[in-house]
Amino acid sequence: VTVTDSIVINSPNESFIIRSALVDRFTVDTDNGNTFIAGTTQIEGLTTINDNVDINGNADVSGTSTLGDVV
């Protein structure tokens, strides 16, 4: 399936799931907006996080990182 426009899913209290090889790779709980991504996630460009970040395990950061208000 190729989508060239927006997809709107109105499905209260359900999940939107992309599955590959019988494994849920991308899941959004439409009730609360929680998102689960299985596998490697690559982000290119500017990323803004407006809340807490919890990291369980290793975090590899290359390039320039700026942290403000660290306690």
Side-chain angles (χ1 to χ4, degrees), residues 4-55:
T4 58
D5 205 344
S6 298
I7 295 176
V8 177
I9 299 174
N10 292 315
S11 180
N13 301 318
E14 298 295 333
S15 294
F16 169 72
I17 300 171
I18 296 175
R19 181 172 289 146
S20 174
L22 302 177
V23 176
D24 295 351
R25 302 294 180 180
F26 181 85
T27 304
V28 178
D29 184 331
T30 60
D31 186 38
N32 56 29
N34 291 342
T35 303
F36 172 79
I37 301 171
T40 301
T41 303
Q42 180 176 334
I43 301 171
E44 295 182 14
L46 177 65
T47 302
T48 302
I49 300 171
N50 293 319
D51 206 338
N52 296 328
V53 176
D54 295 325
I55 298 173

